[in-house]
Amino acid sequence: MSQHNPQELQKKYEEWCKLYRQQLEAQQQFVQAEALLRELKDYYFSPQWMTDREADLPIEHSGEAYSIFSEDGLWNSLTDRSELARKWIRLGLDAIDEE
């Protein structure tokens, strides 16, 4: 029979609680990110995006992300989001399968 160290388990529980709160925050951030990306996707797939891009409208951006007129930038965001969503699904399924 294995021996458990209650003090060590208390530390692990407190760390789990901290991580759990962060996971809840990450879920909220995911929902917020989805709303932003939905609006960007609507624009990207609209005729206006190509018109604006071809007009070479001046856009200020931080340099931390591509311009919204970067075709690869927005497209990569859509594929990155899909990959992230699949990872969230897999993580959730793995957690449930362990029960």
Side-chain angles (χ1 to χ4, degrees):
M1 185 159 126
S2 88
Q3 293 290 319
H4 297 284
N5 180 324
Q7 188 59 56
E8 287 298 314
L9 292 172
Q10 178 63 37
K11 288 180 187 177
K12 289 178 181 183
Y13 175 67
E14 290 174 12
E15 180 67 14
W16 179 87
C17 289
K18 177 182 169 185
L19 292 170
Y20 179 72
R21 286 189 298 275
Q22 291 173 354
Q23 289 170 342
L24 291 174
E25 289 174 20
Q27 285 179 337
Q28 292 170 348
Q29 291 171 349
F30 188 87
V31 170
Q32 291 171 343
E34 280 297 294
L36 294 171
L37 194 59
R38 191 174 311 110
E39 186 174 352
L40 290 166
K41 182 179 174 183
D42 288 347
Y43 175 60
Y44 180 67
F45 287 110
S46 75
Q48 181 186 347
W49 179 83
M50 185 58 76
T51 302
D52 292 348
R53 182 174 184 249
E54 289 174 350
D56 201 23
L57 295 177
I59 293 281
E60 291 183 28
H61 60 94
S62 66
E64 293 179 20
Y66 292 105
S67 162
I68 59 169
F69 295 138
S70 166
E71 191 168 1
D72 288 343
L74 281 175
W75 184 257
N76 288 345
S77 296
L78 295 172
T79 57
D80 289 347
R81 190 276 271 136
S82 294
E83 287 180 33
L84 181 62
R86 283 185 190 90
K87 287 178 184 177
W88 278 92
I89 290 168
R90 176 53 39 210
L91 287 169
L93 290 173
D94 288 348
I96 291 170
D97 287 347
E98 288 182 9
E99 291 180 351

